[in-house]
Amino acid sequence: METHAATEPAAAVSPGELKAQREFKMLDFNGDGKLSRSEVKLFPRLAAAFEEADTDGDGFVSYPEVRAFAAKYRAERDRQRAAAQAAATPSAPTASPPAPEARP
């Protein structure tokens, strides 16, 4: 028997995932389960990256495509934050190896 997301308990879905699902449904004005260019106009980040998010090139962005785009966006944002933090943090001085002892 197949398991579908709709039949899984709500507790298995994170609050962030529930929010994303609600926002997707709000943008999906005609309820067809996918977003068109005109539907994403209200979401500038997705509208600007529509081609990148539309990985199958069908002219629409499905919920799985939105999830993949969001994950990619978050990973890039986190990478940039880590790089900026690393650049702002002074590096620790490197210890020189001890000089060899002089023996008489």
Side-chain angles (χ1 to χ4, degrees):
M1 183 162 138
E2 291 183 38
T3 302
H4 297 284
T7 61
E8 292 178 11
V13 180
S14 72
E17 183 74 16
L18 289 173
K19 180 181 179 215
Q21 289 172 357
R22 281 192 306 271
E23 289 173 354
F24 184 89
K25 287 178 183 178
M26 284 178 22
L27 291 173
D28 184 14
F29 297 124
N30 63 3
D32 64 356
K34 54 191 177 186
L35 303 177
S36 66
R37 281 187 183 283
S38 63
E39 289 171 322
V40 300
K41 286 189 299 190
L42 300 175
F43 194 52
R45 191 178 341 145
L46 184 54
F50 194 87
E51 278 82 22
E52 184 181 351
D54 180 18
T55 56
D56 64 6
D58 67 353
F60 296 94
V61 178
S62 65
Y63 185 70
E65 287 173 320
V66 167
R67 288 184 69 207
F69 175 77
K72 182 178 177 182
Y73 174 82
R74 281 191 305 273
E76 178 62 21
R77 181 194 62 203
D78 292 347
R79 186 194 64 74
Q80 289 175 352
R81 282 183 182 167
Q85 186 176 17
T89 304
S91 59
T94 57
S96 301
E101 291 183 27
R103 298 197 183 225

